[in-house]
Amino acid sequence: KKLNKLFQSSGRLRDIQVTKQLLLDMKESHLDLVIETFNKREAKQRTKFERSLEKFDPNILNDIELRLKDHLADLEPKFVIAGAILLLSQYLFDIKELLHGSSKEKRMHEIRTRLKDINYLNNIFEGKLSIEAYLNISTERLSELGELAGRWHDHLNLERTLKQFIKKNPEISQKDSILTSIERLRTNKNNLEQEYSCILQNEMKI
């Protein structure tokens, strides 16, 4: 539980930092007020993360490692690999269902999560899963796809944040300029989603 809390806190801090960097990269002066808001959010979340880190006992990781080794000690490597391949097949099935089963934007986020899981799985087994045979793309291309999905997610987060900012501050003089920025973000996000979907369908044959 404490480990999950630490990861969640770290993830939220990273999301704020990455989204703020995208905001800074836009280099639009009318967004300065939004940047100030992000600075406050980042400082607040950093404090939460540092508190979680202080409470976290690193010995928990050693305990988890020992328990995993104990569980896996009696398993033959071929059975472990077979289990990993079954898990990989399930991830691919999930991606296909998500991509073709809905048109909602949320599905792309869930696909991104499955791709991250595949990357983690591949790293754990150090290239022993024949990822290329199952995905029809190289591990390098899988990494590129993950980065593309991450950029799409960053644009989505910033678009939502700017909408919320306007909702909370409807009278600000920069409203029209911020709305224009939102439209640019949406266009870029949609282009990233299209590229994302093309790789899934045309290269991975999902």
Side-chain angles (χ1 to χ4, degrees):
K1 187 177 180 181
K2 288 183 178 180
L3 183 59
N4 284 339
K5 188 174 181 180
L6 181 63
F7 281 148
Q8 288 171 1
S9 182
S10 173
R12 282 192 287 269
L13 177 59
R14 183 187 177 281
D15 279 346
I16 292 170
Q17 290 173 331
V18 170
T19 307
K20 188 182 89 169
Q21 187 57 54
L22 177 58
L23 189 62
L24 291 168
D25 290 343
M26 293 173 72
K27 297 178 180 178
E28 297 176 1
S29 59
H30 58 269
L31 296 175
D32 286 350
L33 283 174
V34 187
I35 292 171
E36 287 179 21
T37 301
F38 263 93
N39 287 336
K40 292 175 183 177
R41 286 176 61 187
E42 182 181 3
K44 186 176 180 180
Q45 186 57 42
R46 185 184 296 279
T47 299
K48 288 182 179 180
F49 170 68
E50 289 172 350
R51 286 174 181 168
S52 296
L53 192 60
E54 287 172 2
K55 294 177 182 178
F56 180 71
D57 180 3
N59 290 321
I60 291 175
L61 295 175
N62 295 330
D63 183 51
I64 291 172
E65 182 182 5
L66 289 172
R67 280 189 286 170
L68 280 173
K69 285 182 177 179
D70 185 53
H71 285 307
L72 297 174
D74 297 327
L75 290 175
E76 291 186 33
K78 64 180 181 180
F79 293 126
V80 177
I81 293 290
I85 289 172
L86 282 175
L87 187 56
L88 176 60
S89 298
Q90 181 62 55
Y91 289 150
L92 288 173
F93 176 80
D94 291 345
I95 290 172
K96 185 175 182 178
E97 289 290 295
L98 288 164
L99 185 64
H100 299 291
S102 171
S103 60
K104 293 182 179 179
E105 203 165 44
K106 183 181 177 182
R107 83 194 194 287
M108 303 307 290
H109 172 67
E110 292 174 350
I111 289 172
R112 173 175 173 259
T113 300
R114 297 298 189 283
L115 290 171
K116 287 171 71 175
D117 289 338
I118 291 173
N119 253 322
Y120 295 148
L121 196 63
N122 186 52
N123 290 336
I124 289 170
F125 286 89
E126 300 177 333
K128 296 176 183 177
L129 297 181
S130 301
I131 287 288
E132 294 183 20
Y134 286 95
L135 271 60
N136 299 311
I137 59 173
S138 66
T139 52
E140 291 79 11
R141 187 61 165 157
L142 175 62
S143 180
E144 290 171 4
L145 181 58
E147 291 174 5
L148 177 64
R151 291 201 304 274
W152 170 84
H153 186 251
D154 298 339
H155 279 71
L156 175 65
N157 279 345
L158 184 51
E159 179 188 351
R160 288 176 173 172
T161 298
L162 291 179
K163 286 179 179 177
Q164 290 170 357
F165 183 82
I166 287 178
K167 189 174 181 179
K168 291 180 180 179
N169 304 276
E171 304 301 324
I172 58 169
S173 59
Q174 301 94 331
K175 181 177 179 179
D176 289 342
S177 296
I178 293 176
L179 287 171
T180 301
S181 296
I182 290 173
E183 284 303 312
R184 279 197 290 271
L185 271 172
R186 185 180 293 116
T187 298
N188 291 338
K189 181 196 68 180
N190 290 342
N191 289 338
L192 288 167
E193 181 176 344
Q194 186 175 15
E195 185 180 355
Y196 185 10
S197 296
C198 282
I199 295 172
L200 291 170
Q201 295 182 70
N202 299 334
E203 296 184 34
M204 289 180 64
K205 312 299 182 186
I206 296 294

